[in-house]
Amino acid sequence: MPSWDPQHYLAYADERGRPFIDLLARVGATAPRRVVDLGCGPGNMTRLLAERWPAAEVIGVDSSSDMIERARTDQPDLSWVQADVREWREPADVLISNAMLQWVPDHLDLLPAIAALATEWLAFQVPANFGEPSHTIPIELAASGEYAEHTASVELPGSHAALDYLDVLRADFEVDAWTTTYLHVLRGADAVFDWVSGTGMRPILQALPAELRERFVTEVKARLRVAYPASDGVVVMPFQRVFVVGRRR
Ligand SMILES: C[S@@+](CC[C@H](N)C(=O)[O-])C[C@H]1O[C@@H](n2cnc3c(N)ncnc32)[C@H](O)[C@@H]1O
């Protein structure tokens, strides 16, 4: 998988943090012993789990060494493990995963195995904006002309409808699933590019050779500016997300 840049990712920490808080608000656990954050990224949100349940052992898990290193540096008092969710087998009273499963191909098939690790509560959130211009513009451009041969085998994130997740989990969990569209108000004419280049667009950018990447970036920025016009230096980016919270029956 292409590498992550924790600093770039944290540029929109406030906007990216809001769904984590909204997700957590629906988890009713009172005294969990072990809480695991799967795909914890730089660990800034995992900190909220330790604040909510101070007596719990809180473990952040991520496959990216850069992310785990950043988490370890910023939050040395929590536990951090570099591991792939596809191989993670440790049970937890509360299992949280914020904005990670979209990176795992066929994650709907993997969901029963992940859910089996949650002894009381399972809660996850995935972006559901892959049909928006913020994603379709770079994807369509990457599939055209000279870019195509470099990007053909790039794996991009994806997610399912809330109902699909609910259907997988409903036999074992009381499920609370919903979608929310946030209207992110971002500063700067290229703010949408800055946002997606730190997450969903990374695999495409990293697949392109440097000289093509520069041209690609210029073209994508120009198209995104048309799709998300700035007014007084501010751009509004609608962003839909799917939330699923399950309490084991
Ligand atoms: C968009 S970030 C979300 C980080 C954090 N949960 C947050 O809410 O800010 C996605 C994270 O998922 C991690 N990730 C992607 N695929 C993974 C996998 N198969 N196993 C574990 N972590 C994975 C990435 O390394 C990255 O840190």
Side-chain angles (χ1 to χ4, degrees), residues 183-197:
L183 295 181
H184 292 308
V185 179
L186 308 173
R187 298 230 144 257
D190 291 322
V192 175
F193 173 84
D194 290 341
W195 179 298
V196 286
S197 62

Side-chain angles (χ1 to χ4, degrees), residues 1 4 9 39-41 62-64 67 83-85 98-100 103:
M1 187 196 229
W4 286 82
Y9 181 73
C40 61
D62 203 286
S63 56
S64 157
M67 287 297 202
D84 194 299
V85 63
N98 190 55
M100 183 276 280
W103 290 105

Side-chain angles (χ1 to χ4, degrees), residues 9-204:
Y9 181 73
L10 284 165
Y12 293 102
D14 193 27
E15 289 84 355
R16 294 196 209 278
R18 166 85 186 278
F20 189 98
I21 292 161
D22 293 347
L23 180 72
L24 199 55
R26 299 295 298 166
V27 177
T30 48
R33 282 152 303 173
R34 183 192 271 176
V35 177
V36 169
D37 184 5
L38 282 179
C40 61
N44 53 317
M45 303 314 293
T46 317
R47 158 69 46 203
L48 299 185
L49 302 176
E51 286 171 8
R52 165 106 184 251
W53 296 294
E57 176 193 19
V58 175
I59 306 172
V61 179
D62 203 286
S63 56
S64 157
S65 57
D66 291 326
M67 287 297 202
I68 286 293
E69 202 179 300
R70 177 68 189 248
R72 227 173 241 145
T73 306
D74 288 358
Q75 327 271 355
D77 54 321
L78 303 185
S79 299
W80 306 104
V81 181
Q82 187 186 349
D84 194 299
V85 63
R86 288 166 289 197
E87 274 125 44
W88 183 254
R89 296 282 177 275
E90 299 293 324
D93 304 306
V94 177
L95 196 61
I96 304 268
S97 183
N98 190 55
M100 183 276 280
L101 283 174
Q102 75 275 10
W103 290 105
V104 180
D106 303 325
H107 65 259
L108 204 57
D109 297 336
L110 184 69
L111 190 54
I114 294 175
L117 302 174
T119 58
E120 291 176 17
W121 290 86
L122 169 71
F124 64 88
Q125 178 274 121
V126 284
N129 64 338
F130 300 108
E132 293 291 318
S134 53
H135 287 75
T136 57
I137 285 174
I139 290 169
E140 282 166 20
L141 185 61
S144 69
E146 306 170 78
Y147 305 125
E149 64 174 294
H150 302 281
T151 61
S153 59
V154 164
E155 277 193 3
L156 293 166
S159 62
H160 300 269
L163 184 58
D164 295 333
Y165 297 117
L166 183 144
D167 275 342
V168 170
L169 298 171
R170 67 195 323 165
D172 297 322
F173 293 84
E174 281 169 30
V175 181
D176 173 7
W178 71 98
T179 61
T180 296
T181 302
Y182 297 93
L183 295 181
H184 292 308
V185 179
L186 308 173
R187 298 230 144 257
D190 291 322
V192 175
F193 173 84
D194 290 341
W195 179 298
V196 286
S197 62
T199 53
M201 210 197 299
R202 279 177 318 106
I204 293 174

